PDB file of all heavy atoms in Angstrom:
ATOM      1  N   ALA A   1       0.853  -1.172  -0.012  1.00  0.00           N
ATOM      2  CA  ALA A   1      -0.055   0.001  -0.012  1.00  0.00           C
ATOM      3  C   ALA A   1       0.852   1.242   0.009  1.00  0.00           C
ATOM      4  O   ALA A   1       2.091   1.194   0.575  1.00  0.00           O
ATOM      5  CB  ALA A   1      -0.898  -0.054   1.293  1.00  0.00           C
ATOM      6  N   ILE A   2       0.316   2.312  -0.558  1.00  0.00           N
ATOM      7  CA  ILE A   2       1.051   3.663  -0.559  1.00  0.00           C
ATOM      8  C   ILE A   2       0.301   4.414   0.584  1.00  0.00           C
ATOM      9  O   ILE A   2      -0.900   4.548   0.516  1.00  0.00           O
ATOM     10  CB  ILE A   2       1.014   4.341  -1.911  1.00  0.00           C
ATOM     11  CG1 ILE A   2       1.394   3.519  -2.977  1.00  0.00           C
ATOM     12  CG2 ILE A   2       1.671   5.721  -1.788  1.00  0.00           C
ATOM     13  CD1 ILE A   2       2.913   3.224  -2.981  1.00  0.00           C
ATOM     14  N   TYR A   3       1.184   4.892   1.547  1.00  0.00           N
ATOM     15  CA  TYR A   3       0.687   5.671   2.620  1.00  0.00           C
ATOM     16  C   TYR A   3       1.584   6.846   2.928  1.00  0.00           C
ATOM     17  O   TYR A   3       2.846   6.540   3.165  1.00  0.00           O
ATOM     18  CB  TYR A   3       0.453   4.738   3.904  1.00  0.00           C
ATOM     19  CG  TYR A   3      -0.096   5.362   5.139  1.00  0.00           C
ATOM     20  CD1 TYR A   3      -1.248   6.019   5.157  1.00  0.00           C
ATOM     21  CD2 TYR A   3       0.693   5.284   6.306  1.00  0.00           C
ATOM     22  CE1 TYR A   3      -1.796   6.583   6.359  1.00  0.00           C
ATOM     23  CE2 TYR A   3       0.305   5.837   7.455  1.00  0.00           C
ATOM     24  CZ  TYR A   3      -0.991   6.445   7.502  1.00  0.00           C
ATOM     25  OH  TYR A   3      -1.464   7.074   8.649  1.00  0.00           O
ATOM     26  N   HIS A   4       1.153   8.067   2.969  1.00  0.00           N
ATOM     27  CA  HIS A   4       1.953   9.133   3.186  1.00  0.00           C
ATOM     28  C   HIS A   4       3.128   9.245   2.222  1.00  0.00           C
ATOM     29  O   HIS A   4       4.262   9.540   2.671  1.00  0.00           O
ATOM     30  CB  HIS A   4       2.421   9.286   4.642  1.00  0.00           C
ATOM     31  CG  HIS A   4       1.260   9.669   5.522  1.00  0.00           C
ATOM     32  ND1 HIS A   4       1.375   9.694   6.934  1.00  0.00           N
ATOM     33  CD2 HIS A   4      -0.079   9.940   5.311  1.00  0.00           C
ATOM     34  CE1 HIS A   4       0.200  10.017   7.485  1.00  0.00           C
ATOM     35  NE2 HIS A   4      -0.656  10.218   6.462  1.00  0.00           N
ATOM     36  N   ASN A   5       2.909   8.872   1.030  1.00  0.00           N
ATOM     37  CA  ASN A   5       3.860   8.881  -0.045  1.00  0.00           C
ATOM     38  C   ASN A   5       5.023   7.915   0.159  1.00  0.00           C
ATOM     39  O   ASN A   5       6.144   8.081  -0.422  1.00  0.00           O
ATOM     40  CB  ASN A   5       4.508  10.317  -0.291  1.00  0.00           C
ATOM     41  CG  ASN A   5       3.331  11.366  -0.638  1.00  0.00           C
ATOM     42  OD1 ASN A   5       2.415  11.008  -1.367  1.00  0.00           O
ATOM     43  ND2 ASN A   5       3.408  12.575  -0.104  1.00  0.00           N
ATOM     44  N   GLU A   6       4.826   6.921   0.892  1.00  0.00           N
ATOM     45  CA  GLU A   6       5.842   5.893   1.006  1.00  0.00           C
ATOM     46  C   GLU A   6       5.177   4.484   0.856  1.00  0.00           C
ATOM     47  O   GLU A   6       3.940   4.371   0.982  1.00  0.00           O
ATOM     48  CB  GLU A   6       6.460   5.884   2.462  1.00  0.00           C
ATOM     49  CG  GLU A   6       7.272   7.156   2.633  1.00  0.00           C
ATOM     50  CD  GLU A   6       7.928   7.107   4.058  1.00  0.00           C
ATOM     51  OE1 GLU A   6       7.217   6.836   5.049  1.00  0.00           O
ATOM     52  OE2 GLU A   6       9.089   7.616   4.122  1.00  0.00           O
ATOM     53  N   ILE A   7       5.868   3.548   0.389  1.00  0.00           N
ATOM     54  CA  ILE A   7       5.382   2.204   0.272  1.00  0.00           C
ATOM     55  C   ILE A   7       5.497   1.417   1.419  1.00  0.00           C
ATOM     56  O   ILE A   7       6.504   1.327   2.165  1.00  0.00           O
ATOM     57  CB  ILE A   7       6.144   1.524  -0.932  1.00  0.00           C
ATOM     58  CG1 ILE A   7       5.380   0.171  -1.324  1.00  0.00           C
ATOM     59  CG2 ILE A   7       7.553   1.277  -0.711  1.00  0.00           C
ATOM     60  CD1 ILE A   7       4.237   0.336  -2.213  1.00  0.00           C
ATOM     61  N   TYR A   8       4.402   0.658   1.728  1.00  0.00           N
ATOM     62  CA  TYR A   8       4.332  -0.193   2.998  1.00  0.00           C
ATOM     63  C   TYR A   8       4.085  -1.640   2.371  1.00  0.00           C
ATOM     64  O   TYR A   8       3.377  -1.854   1.500  1.00  0.00           O
ATOM     65  CB  TYR A   8       3.301   0.221   3.863  1.00  0.00           C
ATOM     66  CG  TYR A   8       3.519   1.330   4.747  1.00  0.00           C
ATOM     67  CD1 TYR A   8       3.527   2.638   4.197  1.00  0.00           C
ATOM     68  CD2 TYR A   8       3.808   1.278   6.099  1.00  0.00           C
ATOM     69  CE1 TYR A   8       3.763   3.805   4.927  1.00  0.00           C
ATOM     70  CE2 TYR A   8       4.115   2.394   6.843  1.00  0.00           C
ATOM     71  CZ  TYR A   8       4.163   3.617   6.350  1.00  0.00           C
ATOM     72  OH  TYR A   8       4.442   4.715   7.077  1.00  0.00           O
ATOM     73  N   ALA A   9       4.884  -2.535   2.960  1.00  0.00           N
ATOM     74  CA  ALA A   9       4.771  -3.930   2.583  1.00  0.00           C
ATOM     75  C   ALA A   9       4.453  -4.812   3.750  1.00  0.00           C
ATOM     76  O   ALA A   9       4.991  -4.823   4.883  1.00  0.00           O
ATOM     77  CB  ALA A   9       6.085  -4.392   1.966  1.00  0.00           C
ATOM     78  N   GLY A  10       3.439  -5.704   3.609  1.00  0.00           N
ATOM     79  CA  GLY A  10       3.164  -6.645   4.531  1.00  0.00           C
ATOM     80  C   GLY A  10       3.856  -7.938   4.195  1.00  0.00           C
ATOM     81  O   GLY A  10       3.945  -8.246   2.963  1.00  0.00           O
ATOM     82  N   ASN A  11       4.397  -8.700   5.077  1.00  0.00           N
ATOM     83  CA  ASN A  11       5.156  -9.841   4.827  1.00  0.00           C
ATOM     84  C   ASN A  11       4.466 -11.128   5.244  1.00  0.00           C
ATOM     85  O   ASN A  11       3.737 -11.138   6.171  1.00  0.00           O
ATOM     86  CB  ASN A  11       6.591  -9.778   5.507  1.00  0.00           C
ATOM     87  CG  ASN A  11       7.351  -8.545   5.073  1.00  0.00           C
ATOM     88  OD1 ASN A  11       7.506  -8.349   3.903  1.00  0.00           O
ATOM     89  ND2 ASN A  11       7.870  -7.807   6.025  1.00  0.00           N
ATOM     90  N   TYR A  12       4.891 -12.217   4.580  1.00  0.00           N
ATOM     91  CA  TYR A  12       4.525 -13.512   5.026  1.00  0.00           C
ATOM     92  C   TYR A  12       5.342 -13.720   6.312  1.00  0.00           C
ATOM     93  O   TYR A  12       6.313 -13.077   6.657  1.00  0.00           O
ATOM     94  CB  TYR A  12       4.882 -14.570   4.010  1.00  0.00           C
ATOM     95  CG  TYR A  12       3.830 -14.608   2.861  1.00  0.00           C
ATOM     96  CD1 TYR A  12       4.202 -14.114   1.620  1.00  0.00           C
ATOM     97  CD2 TYR A  12       2.609 -15.160   3.039  1.00  0.00           C
ATOM     98  CE1 TYR A  12       3.301 -14.136   0.556  1.00  0.00           C
ATOM     99  CE2 TYR A  12       1.723 -15.223   2.019  1.00  0.00           C
ATOM    100  CZ  TYR A  12       2.146 -14.670   0.794  1.00  0.00           C
ATOM    101  OH  TYR A  12       1.155 -14.596  -0.295  1.00  0.00           O
ATOM    102  N   ASN A  13       4.992 -14.693   7.080  1.00  0.00           N
ATOM    103  CA  ASN A  13       5.585 -15.017   8.369  1.00  0.00           C
ATOM    104  C   ASN A  13       7.081 -15.510   8.277  1.00  0.00           C
ATOM    105  O   ASN A  13       7.360 -16.582   8.607  1.00  0.00           O
ATOM    106  CB  ASN A  13       4.802 -15.957   9.195  1.00  0.00           C
ATOM    107  CG  ASN A  13       4.526 -17.282   8.440  1.00  0.00           C
ATOM    108  OD1 ASN A  13       4.966 -17.355   7.289  1.00  0.00           O
ATOM    109  ND2 ASN A  13       3.896 -18.215   9.080  1.00  0.00           N
ATOM    110  N   VAL A  14       7.923 -14.535   7.657  1.00  0.00           N
ATOM    111  CA  VAL A  14       9.395 -14.875   7.509  1.00  0.00           C
ATOM    112  C   VAL A  14      10.236 -14.488   8.650  1.00  0.00           C
ATOM    113  O   VAL A  14      11.308 -15.010   8.790  1.00  0.00           O
ATOM    114  CB  VAL A  14       9.820 -14.432   6.183  1.00  0.00           C
ATOM    115  CG1 VAL A  14       9.152 -15.039   4.967  1.00  0.00           C
ATOM    116  CG2 VAL A  14       9.710 -12.927   6.168  1.00  0.00           C
ATOM    117  N   ASP A  15       9.862 -13.483   9.412  1.00  0.00           N
ATOM    118  CA  ASP A  15      10.611 -13.090  10.542  1.00  0.00           C
ATOM    119  C   ASP A  15       9.685 -12.272  11.532  1.00  0.00           C
ATOM    120  O   ASP A  15       8.430 -12.423  11.389  1.00  0.00           O
ATOM    121  CB  ASP A  15      11.811 -12.274  10.080  1.00  0.00           C
ATOM    122  CG  ASP A  15      11.397 -10.881   9.406  1.00  0.00           C
ATOM    123  OD1 ASP A  15      10.264 -10.456   9.534  1.00  0.00           O
ATOM    124  OD2 ASP A  15      12.249 -10.391   8.661  1.00  0.00           O
ATOM    125  N   ASP A  16      10.288 -11.548  12.402  1.00  0.00           N
ATOM    126  CA  ASP A  16       9.453 -10.845  13.385  1.00  0.00           C
ATOM    127  C   ASP A  16       8.993  -9.443  13.011  1.00  0.00           C
ATOM    128  O   ASP A  16       8.243  -8.830  13.702  1.00  0.00           O
ATOM    129  CB  ASP A  16      10.180 -10.787  14.674  1.00  0.00           C
ATOM    130  CG  ASP A  16      10.256 -12.157  15.414  1.00  0.00           C
ATOM    131  OD1 ASP A  16       9.352 -12.980  15.184  1.00  0.00           O
ATOM    132  OD2 ASP A  16      11.145 -12.294  16.120  1.00  0.00           O
ATOM    133  N   THR A  17       9.431  -8.958  11.720  1.00  0.00           N
ATOM    134  CA  THR A  17       8.817  -7.752  11.237  1.00  0.00           C
ATOM    135  C   THR A  17       7.780  -8.098  10.256  1.00  0.00           C
ATOM    136  O   THR A  17       8.110  -8.594   9.224  1.00  0.00           O
ATOM    137  CB  THR A  17      10.017  -6.887  10.647  1.00  0.00           C
ATOM    138  OG1 THR A  17      11.007  -6.659  11.617  1.00  0.00           O
ATOM    139  CG2 THR A  17       9.574  -5.636  10.103  1.00  0.00           C
ATOM    140  N   ILE A  18       6.604  -7.671  10.563  1.00  0.00           N
ATOM    141  CA  ILE A  18       5.529  -8.026   9.628  1.00  0.00           C
ATOM    142  C   ILE A  18       5.037  -7.022   8.699  1.00  0.00           C
ATOM    143  O   ILE A  18       4.346  -7.196   7.768  1.00  0.00           O
ATOM    144  CB  ILE A  18       4.340  -8.609  10.465  1.00  0.00           C
ATOM    145  CG1 ILE A  18       3.746  -7.701  11.443  1.00  0.00           C
ATOM    146  CG2 ILE A  18       4.659  -9.958  11.125  1.00  0.00           C
ATOM    147  CD1 ILE A  18       2.496  -8.003  12.160  1.00  0.00           C
ATOM    148  N   ILE A  19       5.333  -5.758   9.087  1.00  0.00           N
ATOM    149  CA  ILE A  19       5.098  -4.620   8.120  1.00  0.00           C
ATOM    150  C   ILE A  19       6.352  -3.761   8.078  1.00  0.00           C
ATOM    151  O   ILE A  19       6.963  -3.436   9.107  1.00  0.00           O
ATOM    152  CB  ILE A  19       3.958  -3.684   8.557  1.00  0.00           C
ATOM    153  CG1 ILE A  19       2.636  -4.599   8.659  1.00  0.00           C
ATOM    154  CG2 ILE A  19       3.790  -2.494   7.704  1.00  0.00           C
ATOM    155  CD1 ILE A  19       1.410  -3.791   9.216  1.00  0.00           C
ATOM    156  N   ARG A  20       6.824  -3.504   6.832  1.00  0.00           N
ATOM    157  CA  ARG A  20       7.881  -2.596   6.603  1.00  0.00           C
ATOM    158  C   ARG A  20       7.535  -1.424   5.773  1.00  0.00           C
ATOM    159  O   ARG A  20       6.534  -1.320   5.102  1.00  0.00           O
ATOM    160  CB  ARG A  20       9.021  -3.365   5.829  1.00  0.00           C
ATOM    161  CG  ARG A  20       9.510  -4.649   6.474  1.00  0.00           C
ATOM    162  CD  ARG A  20      10.433  -5.412   5.531  1.00  0.00           C
ATOM    163  NE  ARG A  20      10.778  -6.681   6.121  1.00  0.00           N
ATOM    164  CZ  ARG A  20      11.738  -6.972   7.045  1.00  0.00           C
ATOM    165  NH1 ARG A  20      12.418  -5.999   7.469  1.00  0.00           N
ATOM    166  NH2 ARG A  20      11.955  -8.080   7.425  1.00  0.00           N
ATOM    167  N   ARG A  21       8.325  -0.333   5.888  1.00  0.00           N
ATOM    168  CA  ARG A  21       8.193   0.968   5.175  1.00  0.00           C
ATOM    169  C   ARG A  21       9.400   1.267   4.381  1.00  0.00           C
ATOM    170  O   ARG A  21      10.544   1.177   4.933  1.00  0.00           O
ATOM    171  CB  ARG A  21       7.854   2.038   6.210  1.00  0.00           C
ATOM    172  CG  ARG A  21       7.701   3.364   5.622  1.00  0.00           C
ATOM    173  CD  ARG A  21       7.553   4.515   6.680  1.00  0.00           C
ATOM    174  NE  ARG A  21       8.674   4.565   7.621  1.00  0.00           N
ATOM    175  CZ  ARG A  21       9.855   5.182   7.460  1.00  0.00           C
ATOM    176  NH1 ARG A  21      10.061   5.732   6.400  1.00  0.00           N
ATOM    177  NH2 ARG A  21      10.753   5.090   8.460  1.00  0.00           N
ATOM    178  N   PHE A  22       9.106   1.690   3.147  1.00  0.00           N
ATOM    179  CA  PHE A  22      10.308   1.977   2.287  1.00  0.00           C
ATOM    180  C   PHE A  22      10.402   3.503   2.056  1.00  0.00           C
ATOM    181  O   PHE A  22       9.402   4.130   1.637  1.00  0.00           O
ATOM    182  CB  PHE A  22      10.174   1.325   0.856  1.00  0.00           C
ATOM    183  CG  PHE A  22      11.300   1.385  -0.011  1.00  0.00           C
ATOM    184  CD1 PHE A  22      12.619   0.934   0.342  1.00  0.00           C
ATOM    185  CD2 PHE A  22      11.227   2.118  -1.184  1.00  0.00           C
ATOM    186  CE1 PHE A  22      13.647   1.034  -0.534  1.00  0.00           C
ATOM    187  CE2 PHE A  22      12.298   2.237  -2.070  1.00  0.00           C
ATOM    188  CZ  PHE A  22      13.583   1.606  -1.729  1.00  0.00           C
ATOM    189  N   ASP A  23      11.447   4.105   2.430  1.00  0.00           N
ATOM    190  CA  ASP A  23      11.597   5.579   2.356  1.00  0.00           C
ATOM    191  C   ASP A  23      12.190   6.041   1.083  1.00  0.00           C
ATOM    192  O   ASP A  23      12.480   7.242   0.953  1.00  0.00           O
ATOM    193  CB  ASP A  23      12.418   6.107   3.611  1.00  0.00           C
ATOM    194  CG  ASP A  23      13.779   5.606   3.583  1.00  0.00           C
ATOM    195  OD1 ASP A  23      14.324   5.017   2.538  1.00  0.00           O
ATOM    196  OD2 ASP A  23      14.540   5.926   4.568  1.00  0.00           O
ATOM    197  N   GLY A  24      12.248   5.148   0.143  1.00  0.00           N
ATOM    198  CA  GLY A  24      12.881   5.579  -1.159  1.00  0.00           C
ATOM    199  C   GLY A  24      14.356   5.034  -1.299  1.00  0.00           C
ATOM    200  O   GLY A  24      14.984   5.024  -2.381  1.00  0.00           O
ATOM    201  N   VAL A  25      14.902   4.771  -0.185  1.00  0.00           N
ATOM    202  CA  VAL A  25      16.391   4.309  -0.056  1.00  0.00           C
ATOM    203  C   VAL A  25      16.451   2.921   0.520  1.00  0.00           C
ATOM    204  O   VAL A  25      17.155   2.054   0.043  1.00  0.00           O
ATOM    205  CB  VAL A  25      17.224   5.256   0.682  1.00  0.00           C
ATOM    206  CG1 VAL A  25      18.671   4.855   0.728  1.00  0.00           C
ATOM    207  CG2 VAL A  25      17.182   6.694  -0.042  1.00  0.00           C
ATOM    208  N   GLN A  26      15.853   2.825   1.679  1.00  0.00           N
ATOM    209  CA  GLN A  26      15.875   1.526   2.396  1.00  0.00           C
ATOM    210  C   GLN A  26      14.553   1.183   3.139  1.00  0.00           C
ATOM    211  O   GLN A  26      13.737   2.021   3.349  1.00  0.00           O
ATOM    212  CB  GLN A  26      17.062   1.499   3.418  1.00  0.00           C
ATOM    213  CG  GLN A  26      16.848   2.548   4.584  1.00  0.00           C
ATOM    214  CD  GLN A  26      18.144   2.511   5.418  1.00  0.00           C
ATOM    215  OE1 GLN A  26      19.176   2.092   5.093  1.00  0.00           O
ATOM    216  NE2 GLN A  26      17.903   3.077   6.570  1.00  0.00           N
ATOM    217  N   TRP A  27      14.459  -0.030   3.561  1.00  0.00           N
ATOM    218  CA  TRP A  27      13.258  -0.514   4.243  1.00  0.00           C
ATOM    219  C   TRP A  27      13.422  -0.403   5.752  1.00  0.00           C
ATOM    220  O   TRP A  27      14.588  -0.596   6.255  1.00  0.00           O
ATOM    221  CB  TRP A  27      12.972  -1.983   3.961  1.00  0.00           C
ATOM    222  CG  TRP A  27      12.471  -2.142   2.578  1.00  0.00           C
ATOM    223  CD1 TRP A  27      13.276  -2.451   1.415  1.00  0.00           C
ATOM    224  CD2 TRP A  27      11.070  -2.094   2.151  1.00  0.00           C
ATOM    225  NE1 TRP A  27      12.445  -2.568   0.287  1.00  0.00           N
ATOM    226  CE2 TRP A  27      11.084  -2.344   0.764  1.00  0.00           C
ATOM    227  CE3 TRP A  27       9.952  -1.846   2.745  1.00  0.00           C
ATOM    228  CZ2 TRP A  27       9.907  -2.335   0.006  1.00  0.00           C
ATOM    229  CZ3 TRP A  27       8.755  -1.893   2.000  1.00  0.00           C
ATOM    230  CH2 TRP A  27       8.693  -2.089   0.666  1.00  0.00           C
ATOM    231  N   HIS A  28      12.416  -0.091   6.473  1.00  0.00           N
ATOM    232  CA  HIS A  28      12.430   0.108   7.916  1.00  0.00           C
ATOM    233  C   HIS A  28      11.263  -0.717   8.543  1.00  0.00           C
ATOM    234  O   HIS A  28      10.161  -0.719   8.071  1.00  0.00           O
ATOM    235  CB  HIS A  28      12.193   1.576   8.335  1.00  0.00           C
ATOM    236  CG  HIS A  28      13.143   2.498   7.700  1.00  0.00           C
ATOM    237  ND1 HIS A  28      14.477   2.737   8.232  1.00  0.00           N
ATOM    238  CD2 HIS A  28      13.125   3.318   6.638  1.00  0.00           C
ATOM    239  CE1 HIS A  28      15.032   3.574   7.500  1.00  0.00           C
ATOM    240  NE2 HIS A  28      14.344   4.026   6.516  1.00  0.00           N
ATOM    241  N   PRO A  29      11.534  -1.338   9.692  1.00  0.00           N
ATOM    242  CA  PRO A  29      10.454  -2.047  10.284  1.00  0.00           C
ATOM    243  C   PRO A  29       9.404  -1.111  10.897  1.00  0.00           C
ATOM    244  O   PRO A  29       9.775  -0.113  11.408  1.00  0.00           O
ATOM    245  CB  PRO A  29      11.177  -2.868  11.487  1.00  0.00           C
ATOM    246  CG  PRO A  29      12.478  -2.189  11.667  1.00  0.00           C
ATOM    247  CD  PRO A  29      12.754  -1.532  10.362  1.00  0.00           C
ATOM    248  N   VAL A  30       8.152  -1.434  10.678  1.00  0.00           N
ATOM    249  CA  VAL A  30       7.024  -0.632  11.320  1.00  0.00           C
ATOM    250  C   VAL A  30       6.337  -1.322  12.341  1.00  0.00           C
ATOM    251  O   VAL A  30       6.137  -0.723  13.433  1.00  0.00           O
ATOM    252  CB  VAL A  30       6.061  -0.183  10.095  1.00  0.00           C
ATOM    253  CG1 VAL A  30       4.893   0.546  10.684  1.00  0.00           C
ATOM    254  CG2 VAL A  30       6.815   0.625   9.098  1.00  0.00           C
ATOM    255  N   VAL A  31       5.994  -2.510  12.079  1.00  0.00           N
ATOM    256  CA  VAL A  31       5.154  -3.290  13.136  1.00  0.00           C
ATOM    257  C   VAL A  31       6.022  -4.524  13.355  1.00  0.00           C
ATOM    258  O   VAL A  31       6.278  -5.286  12.369  1.00  0.00           O
ATOM    259  CB  VAL A  31       3.813  -3.690  12.684  1.00  0.00           C
ATOM    260  CG1 VAL A  31       3.127  -4.642  13.656  1.00  0.00           C
ATOM    261  CG2 VAL A  31       2.986  -2.433  12.453  1.00  0.00           C
TER     262      VAL A  31
END
């Protein structure tokens, strides 16, 4: 999803970070 001009990604149960945010350079854990 696009939220506040950034891309958010929901992940399959691959690790303990289930939602990430991309700031245009790198991904950051959100939830």
Side-chain angles (χ1 to χ4, degrees):
I2 306 293
Y3 178 60
H4 291 175
N5 302 325
E6 295 180 317
I7 186 80
Y8 283 74
N11 297 313
Y12 284 104
N13 55 357
V14 293
D15 61 21
D16 286 335
T17 302
I18 58 173
I19 299 177
R20 298 177 191 278
R21 175 184 58 84
F22 187 64
D23 65 9
V25 178
Q26 65 185 18
W27 289 92
H28 304 278
V30 174
V31 175

